[in-house]
Amino acid sequence: MGAPPADASDAALVAAALAGHQPGYSALMDRHRDAVFRVARHHLGDETEALDITQEAFVSAFAAMARYDPAKPFRTWLIRITLNKCHDWARRRAVRRLFRMARPLDEAFDIADGGQDPEAAAISAREVERIGAAVAALPANLKEPLILCRIEGMSMAEAAAVLSLSEKAVETRIYRARQKLSEMLEG
């Protein structure tokens, strides 16, 4: 089987991939990798880690493809996997931070402070980076609807399906995220 047609549906590509045809996998990845990367980058605030999460999300999705329901949008299913990977990454980061802090005090001097000093932050902070950092700093329940609707361009209904929320809850969380961002950026 050759390359699938460019206009093939996601469901057709999933069926081809499940039948063992590599072009189906490749076409799905080509079609959705930028969206997955953007969601991860905005969620994590770090491009390198977003690349790792993108790879992990596709590996997990391809491993679980037999459980995908073709009646639902593939993109919604894949973005949910991506958000789960981002949550896993955040939990691992919190555990690593805890262990790093648990070292004896005499060893703690060797641990570099990853944060910038206030002068360097003020000098180097460009507006786009500042906004990206503010988005990444939002709580997950506010960040995810904002990323999905305002950055990824999903409708409120699509975001609600990804996040298992009502459309009104998505709308409310976006409103609160904007308020919080405004406070963070003005302060």
Side-chain angles (χ1 to χ4, degrees):
M1 177 177 194
D7 62 345
S9 70
D10 285 344
L13 295 174
V14 168
L18 287 172
H21 300 287
Q22 182 61 37
Y25 288 110
S26 298
L28 285 167
M29 193 159 143
D30 289 344
R31 186 175 289 175
H32 297 288
R33 88 171 143 234
D34 290 342
V36 168
F37 173 76
R38 282 191 308 270
V39 168
R41 184 185 67 217
H42 288 294
H43 200 283
L44 304 174
D46 183 280
E47 286 196 18
T48 304
E49 290 172 347
L51 285 170
D52 291 341
I53 293 298
T54 299
Q55 183 176 353
E56 285 183 31
F58 276 104
V59 168
S60 292
F62 290 162
M65 199 168 287
R67 294 192 310 257
Y68 166 68
D69 178 2
K72 296 182 179 174
F74 181 78
R75 181 178 183 210
T76 301
W77 182 72
L78 184 59
I79 295 297
R80 180 73 256 168
I81 291 172
T82 303
L83 290 174
N84 288 341
K85 292 296 176 187
C86 289
H87 294 163
D88 293 345
W89 176 87
R91 281 191 294 274
R92 287 191 309 263
R93 181 174 62 174
V95 169
R96 283 191 302 266
R97 188 178 309 133
L98 176 68
F99 283 118
R100 202 171 42 234
M101 294 173 67
R103 289 186 172 177
L105 189 56
D106 57 336
E107 290 181 25
F109 294 114
D110 296 332
I111 300 173
D113 180 6
Q116 291 181 325
D117 64 283
E119 282 183 0
I123 292 169
S124 68
R126 294 182 304 168
E127 197 61 24
V128 172
E129 292 171 350
R130 199 169 79 106
I131 292 169
V135 169
L138 286 171
N141 68 328
L142 299 180
K143 176 178 14 184
E144 292 167 358
L146 182 71
I147 290 170
L148 296 178
C149 290
R150 298 301 177 246
I151 296 173
E152 281 306 304
M154 285 186 175
S155 69
M156 298 257 185
E158 289 173 318
V162 169
L163 300 171
S164 300
L165 297 171
S166 69
E167 286 184 53
K168 187 64 178 171
V170 169
E171 182 181 344
T172 301
R173 289 180 184 192
I174 289 172
Y175 175 78
R176 289 181 182 155
R178 285 180 167 175
Q179 282 184 315
K180 184 112 174 130
L181 277 175
S182 183
E183 292 169 10
M184 293 166 71
L185 294 172
E186 289 174 5

